[in-house]
Amino acid sequence: MPKFHKLVRDKIPEIIESKGQKAITTTLHTEEYLVELKKKMLEEWDEYLQAADDASALEELADLLEVIHALAKMHGASLQTVETLRKKKCEERGGFDRRVFLHCRKDDI
């Protein structure tokens, strides 16, 4: 059996066992869980960067969003709270729709 040694979605052990294999798991303590969620975010981000097409990219974005849900809970909030903060920042500073790329400020020239 492959060695995973990583945070996985809740139903993965059941899926492994439904295939006749044994899943050996443990429940992480809060501090360990936060560390592993951060690692999972990097793993999913890397998979997004490697996505070869739109469908794959969207799958990876969905995985990233799932990790963001879990991280929001770890910080005592909901995704709605994160979304409210996102909207506030968007109203104050804008989004990324205009594709603005800043080369420098005039003072830096």
Side-chain angles (χ1 to χ4, degrees), residues 68-93:
I68 291 170
H69 274 267
L71 284 166
K73 287 180 193 174
M74 283 296 297
H75 294 292
S78 67
L79 192 61
Q80 182 59 42
T81 302
V82 175
E83 178 63 10
T84 299
L85 291 167
R86 184 202 67 78
K87 286 179 180 177
K88 181 177 185 252
K89 289 184 89 167
C90 187
E91 288 171 10
E92 293 171 356
R93 306 187 84 171

Side-chain angles (χ1 to χ4, degrees), residues 6-7 26-34 36-37:
K6 66 180 185 177
L7 183 66
T26 188
T27 301
L28 299 173
H29 296 288
T30 303
E31 298 82 16
E32 297 169 312
Y33 180 50
L34 183 57
E36 293 302 320
L37 276 171

Side-chain angles (χ1 to χ4, degrees), residues 56-67:
S56 298
L58 291 171
E59 285 286 328
E60 298 309 329
L61 287 173
D63 289 342
L64 281 163
L65 192 53
E66 192 64 39
V67 176

Side-chain angles (χ1 to χ4, degrees), residues 13-28:
E14 296 167 17
I15 292 168
I16 290 170
E17 292 184 354
S18 74
K19 296 177 181 179
Q21 298 172 326
K22 177 73 176 151
I24 300 169
T25 65
T26 188
T27 301
L28 299 173

